[in-house]
Amino acid sequence: MSGTFVGMPAFPTAAREALADSQLRHNLAHATSTIRAKRAKVVAEIPDWEELRLAGAAVKERALLDLDSQLVRLEETLTANGATVHWARDAAEANAIVASIAKAHSAEEVVKVKSMVTQEIGLNEALAEEGIAAWETDLAELIVQLGDDLPSHILVPAIHRNRAEIREIFRSKMAAAGRPAPEDLTDEPAVLAAAARAHLREKFLRAKVGVSGANFAVAETGTLVVVESEGNGRMCLTLPEVLVSVVGIEKVVSRWEDLDPMLRLLPRSSTGERMNPYTSVWSGVTPGDGPQEVHVVLLDNGRTRALADEVGRQALRCIRCSACLNVCPVYERTGGHAYGSVYPGPIGAILNPLLKGVGHDDQIDSLPYASSLCGACFEVCPVRIDIPSVLVDQRAQVVDAHRGGVPKPEAAAMKGAAYVLGRSRRLSALERLTGLGMRFGRRFGPTAWTGARDLPDAPGESFRAWWQRTNGGRKDDA
């Protein structure tokens, strides 16, 4: 994958370019409307859906509020199960750990389960610099990789491509990466999937090292969980001799039973299915079954920064279902590339500033404004992340970050008003100066106002003075 989000323009510029692509808009509208309809149908089958959302939010919130002890417990149980646990503060440390494990086994290539976190840290590019090829095995990720493209959706990274474009990518690029596409390849979905299956099969069978993320990590049992729909994940998790799982620290849940609401919420919210076709669960090393060397890299990379934000920390509940993308009117028209990150859409608009901080990158600072604040994202979020509220709070943080310690005139005026209105005596004293203020404003006020408007004369008596003189209107006012 040669594309990169580095150096992407701010959202307004990127969005303007995306809006000019009519084929992109057509692809997005078709795909998101289809996924929305599937989700709505299966959600409607659950009479207690709102209670299930509350349960899912509680599971994630409980773990986040006790994250330090939950992570220590996770390390202990993983280690007891035979896994080796590594801690990575940032992308560079995580990439170095994975590369060192691959090189220790003389691996020239690795096969990967679809993983947002490994895209976040640029693992493929980091491994390439070490002479190690990282092969994506999810169909949509394969399309993006072969096309030297960038993902534009959390669930369906190639959502911006139609099947005619995919056929051309397979025909022109597959041979250079391994088994070529058939000469008679058509754009029928089943035919394209069969070509990808044959291309990937040889990679599965020869790979020594597999790389995955995790949808959930259970602290109580030292268990990692990956859900997927194609079976490629199961191949990556069971065939290689060595498995390396890169897991964001926010993926932890406390107990095994916490998986119950999560595994009911996630498939319905993401693929519109009642359950995922493949739910892979593994706890360390099992002699004679699956990888005999298991490594887990627990990644921070800005997550503790996000956890410290009392309003924004709820974004760490995210289970990467992509439901918010599929209902967002902004995303549907611009696609994911305009967000300049592997996390696009409403969740990306809050998650990227939370992980990276604001005030130092115009592209990141533009993301909280990439929303109409319509609230549809909150309505569909399975773990009840109040994305609109976080967006508003982050807009304030962006503004504060660019003030440079010098308040703007508007801010100074608001602070002055707050000071005066905060005490009745201050307000009363200012009211006595109203006449003087009016005369001053009429003579020296802003031309933009006084040039088209006449300032009225100051009242002869303030309401407060009238109220005191007449005892609230009970005395004769004559």
Side-chain angles (χ1 to χ4, degrees), residues 23-39 152-153 155-163 166 269-272 322-323 325-328 331-333 335:
Q23 183 63 60
L24 173 66
R25 296 201 310 274
H26 173 78
N27 295 349
L28 289 168
H30 174 72
T32 54
S33 63
T34 299
I35 299 171
R36 280 200 307 269
K38 289 180 63 180
R39 176 200 169 274
S152 64
H153 192 277
L155 176 67
V156 194
I159 195 172
H160 56 291
R161 298 290 193 183
N162 59 35
R163 60 191 195 182
I166 295 168
S269 299
S270 57
T271 56
S322 76
L325 279 68
N326 300 324
V327 299
C328 178
Y331 175 87
E332 184 177 350
R333 288 157 179 80

Side-chain angles (χ1 to χ4, degrees), residues 247-267:
V247 183
I249 57 176
E250 85 282 11
K251 295 296 185 180
V252 67
V253 297
S254 305
R255 304 167 300 177
W256 175 262
E257 54 262 38
D258 288 340
L259 293 176
D260 174 32
M262 311 315 296
L263 293 179
R264 287 192 284 158
L265 287 164
L266 180 54

Side-chain angles (χ1 to χ4, degrees), residues 271-299:
T271 56
E273 298 170 293
R274 295 176 182 88
M275 66 180 293
N276 291 96
Y278 295 89
T279 300
S280 299
V281 179
W282 70 102
S283 300
V285 175
T286 302
D289 183 13
Q292 296 303 289
E293 185 176 327
V294 173
H295 297 264
V296 179
V297 182
L298 297 176
L299 175 72

Side-chain angles (χ1 to χ4, degrees), residues 188-404:
E188 289 298 313
V191 175
L192 293 171
R197 185 179 297 113
H199 176 82
L200 291 171
R201 182 74 56 167
E202 63 180 26
K203 299 185 186 300
F204 288 134
L205 293 175
R206 70 170 182 250
K208 294 181 180 180
V209 178
V211 176
S212 83
N215 293 95
F216 306 103
V218 185
E220 178 185 47
T221 58
T223 301
L224 301 185
V225 182
V226 162
V227 296
E228 39 107 8
S229 300
E230 300 174 16
N232 63 297
R234 183 70 55 82
M235 301 284 275
C236 289
L237 295 169
T238 57
L239 289 178
E241 303 168 7
V242 181
L243 175 61
V244 185
S245 299
V246 183
V247 183
I249 57 176
E250 85 282 11
K251 295 296 185 180
V252 67
V253 297
S254 305
R255 304 167 300 177
W256 175 262
E257 54 262 38
D258 288 340
L259 293 176
D260 174 32
M262 311 315 296
L263 293 179
R264 287 192 284 158
L265 287 164
L266 180 54
R268 285 179 167 84
S269 299
S270 57
T271 56
E273 298 170 293
R274 295 176 182 88
M275 66 180 293
N276 291 96
Y278 295 89
T279 300
S280 299
V281 179
W282 70 102
S283 300
V285 175
T286 302
D289 183 13
Q292 296 303 289
E293 185 176 327
V294 173
H295 297 264
V296 179
V297 182
L298 297 176
L299 175 72
D300 186 333
N301 206 38
R303 284 157 176 79
T304 53
R305 177 205 296 272
L307 189 64
D309 188 313
E310 293 185 0
V311 176
R313 68 169 58 133
Q314 59 186 297
L316 296 179
R317 296 183 205 156
C318 177
I319 56 176
R320 309 293 191 266
C321 69
S322 76
C324 61
L325 279 68
N326 300 324
V327 299
C328 178
V330 177
Y331 175 87
E332 184 177 350
R333 288 157 179 80
T334 65
H337 292 162
Y339 293 83
S341 167
V342 296
Y343 300 117
I347 188 63
I350 62 173
L351 194 57
N352 287 298
L354 283 166
L355 294 178
K356 300 176 182 178
V358 298
H360 59 83
D361 187 307
D362 289 342
Q363 193 275 328
I364 293 174
D365 289 351
S366 71
L367 293 179
Y369 298 90
S371 171
S372 65
L373 300 180
C374 68
C377 48
F378 171 66
E379 294 300 323
V380 299
C381 177
V383 288
R384 294 179 58 85
I385 302 171
D386 190 353
I387 295 177
S389 292
V390 180
L391 285 167
V392 171
D393 183 69
Q394 288 187 338
R395 290 179 184 185
Q397 292 187 33
V398 170
V399 171
D400 289 342
H402 287 277
R403 281 180 173 149

Side-chain angles (χ1 to χ4, degrees), residues 79-109:
T79 303
N81 293 337
T84 301
V85 177
H86 309 262
W87 296 85
R89 286 171 293 188
D90 53 29
E93 286 191 3
N95 290 334
I97 291 168
V98 179
S100 66
I101 295 169
K103 288 192 290 187
H105 292 83
S106 302
E108 297 180 354
E109 62 180 1

